[in-house]
Amino acid sequence: MSLAFAEARAAEARGEAPIGAALVRDGSVIASAGNRTRERADPTAHAELLAIRAAAAALGTERLTGCDLYVTLEPCAMCAGAMSHARIRRLYYAAPDSKGGAVDHGPHVFNQPTCHHAPEVYGGIRESEAAAMLKAFFAAKR
């Protein structure tokens, strides 16, 4: 999770929402990323998707079985769908997102009958740290 936070701080330094992700398998980091939606003018350039894409390229497969994803914010529906298709083993996230989250809030993507694969989910890891980072970022934007 420390690497995900480092990626979130780097994203913030670039003017992006401070959200970071790290994908790990067997104790080794396969990929990490921070949000780049503004930099790339790409609404899909969320930290989770960038990390998943990089890991799939590094491993040469679209199935990331045995991989765990660490994220600083509860994933949205788009990212949760990608995790399901990638067959992520476990999701660890920091702050919940009652407005845009789709794992423990909103559509509860992994609980839907149409969900191909549901990872184990562990939320609230370093929650207060992530929430404070996000609040400060958005307060400065207003």
Side-chain angles (χ1 to χ4, degrees):
M1 186 63 86
S2 292
L3 181 54
F5 272 91
E7 289 284 0
R9 286 188 290 278
E12 182 175 25
R14 293 188 304 273
E16 301 278 358
I19 301 165
L23 205 137
V24 176
R25 182 162 70 179
D26 298 329
S28 296
V29 175
I30 307 300
S32 65
N35 269 18
R36 291 185 180 272
T37 58
R38 290 179 179 270
E39 176 185 311
R40 295 186 178 180
D42 178 357
T44 70
H46 288 197
E48 301 95 318
L49 289 184
L50 296 174
I52 288 170
R53 288 174 186 149
L59 297 173
T61 181
E62 80 282 9
R63 299 290 166 99
L64 302 177
T65 54
C67 291
D68 301 332
L69 187 62
Y70 295 81
V71 187
T72 58
L73 183 66
E74 177 184 354
C76 69
M78 174 180 66
C79 293
M83 287 176 227
S84 176
H85 286 283
R87 307 300 196 265
I88 298 295
R89 178 177 60 180
R90 293 185 195 105
L91 165 65
Y92 299 91
Y93 73 85
D97 185 355
S98 60
K99 190 173 182 179
V103 174
D104 288 325
H105 293 88
H108 297 266
V109 169
F110 300 137
N111 295 335
Q112 297 304 315
T114 55
C115 182
H116 292 98
H117 165 80
E120 295 174 32
V121 176
Y122 303 93
I125 300 160
R126 296 171 62 178
E127 176 180 342
S128 59
E129 182 181 353
M133 184 186 309
L134 287 157
K135 274 186 183 171
F137 175 80
F138 287 109
K141 293 285 182 190
R142 292 187 187 112

